[in-house]
Amino acid sequence: MTILFSATRYYTSESLSYAGESLLEAPYLLRPFRPDDLSSVVEINRVCLPENYSAYFFMEVFKSCPEAFIVAERENRVVGYIMCRLEFGFSDVRRFRMVRKGHIVSVAVLPEYRRQGIGRELVTSATKALELHGAEECFLEVRTANEEAVKLYKDMGFDTLRTVSHYYHDGADAFLMSIRLPYSPGPVGSP
């Protein structure tokens, strides 16, 4: 089965607004990751997250589900990314059922480009790509101390299923959060 999916989406301050206020300072686009984006993605990961992955790991995740590895670009500069993979296992939201699940492995936006709707759009685009590949739900792990990210995921409809103690290399805890697919986002700012 061949699935054609184009994740290239252009956004302007007119296309993303809430209560008449623009969420974007400048236009940006979402597009599929390309191997020549690797150094930019590795650098964003290094700047934004304490968990740093090897270039090999990024490429392995890309090969597993290229449609759900998406970058955000502004003025020809990659400013954010999301990478996901497909897994098969017991459902997090449907008891005693085996399902195909999307796993958001990593998402990051450079600090100077945050609070502009980019992270939300990356997650939305990735969940749609995972759904096209038959995923019935999507999950992620997020640091319990990352209140901004936790709030974003809750606003998007993700449920906190449990706390995973000492999940991260530095001993920090993570929330395991999950959402059923298909995902249908509400207006920006609504749960």
Side-chain angles (χ1 to χ4, degrees):
M1 173 173 84
T2 301
I3 297 174
L4 299 175
F5 177 75
S6 172
T8 304
R9 295 169 59 184
Y10 295 89
Y11 295 90
T12 65
S13 57
E14 292 79 37
S15 65
L16 278 180
S17 63
Y18 177 66
E21 292 184 34
S22 171
L23 296 175
L24 297 177
E25 295 174 9
Y28 69 95
L29 68 89
L30 298 184
R31 63 169 173 77
F33 169 87
R34 299 184 302 248
D36 63 338
D37 296 322
L38 182 60
S39 62
S40 297
V41 168
V42 168
E43 180 63 13
I44 292 168
N45 175 251
R46 189 192 64 73
V47 167
C48 297
L49 301 171
E51 300 75 44
N52 298 140
Y53 305 114
S54 69
Y56 174 81
F57 180 75
F58 281 101
M59 293 308 296
E60 286 303 304
V61 173
F62 168 67
K63 289 175 191 171
S64 73
C65 190
E67 294 85 358
F69 197 145
I70 302 166
V71 298
E73 188 177 278
R74 184 162 146 195
E75 298 172 352
N76 296 316
R77 177 183 181 202
V78 175
V79 300
Y81 73 90
I82 188 167
M83 65 175 179
C84 308
R85 65 181 169 219
L86 287 164
E87 299 176 5
F88 188 76
F90 282 107
S91 172
D92 291 317
V93 295
R94 297 169 178 105
R95 292 181 60 92
F96 309 115
R97 187 163 167 222
M98 297 292 285
V99 296
R100 182 175 269 193
K101 305 190 292 188
H103 183 183
I104 296 176
V105 176
S106 182
V107 58
V109 176
L110 288 171
E112 61 269 32
Y113 296 95
R114 293 180 186 160
R115 298 183 173 270
Q116 299 179 27
I118 296 171
R120 175 183 291 271
E121 289 301 317
L122 284 167
V123 173
T124 298
S125 293
T127 55
K128 289 181 181 185
L130 292 166
E131 181 187 336
L132 287 173
H133 280 280
E136 295 179 53
E137 57 193 60
C138 181
F139 74 98
L140 56 85
E141 298 86 8
V142 60
R143 284 178 178 266
T144 57
N146 190 345
E147 294 173 6
E148 190 173 332
V150 171
K151 181 182 181 328
L152 171 67
Y153 299 134
K154 284 184 178 182
D155 287 349
M156 295 184 75
F158 282 81
D159 292 319
T160 303
L161 302 177
R162 64 184 167 274
T163 301
V164 183
S165 298
H166 308 292
Y167 177 80
Y168 293 101
H169 183 68
D170 63 2
D173 296 342
F175 288 130
L176 177 68
M177 301 182 78
S178 184
I179 191 169
R180 285 185 186 212
L181 298 178
Y183 173 66
S184 34
V188 175
S190 69

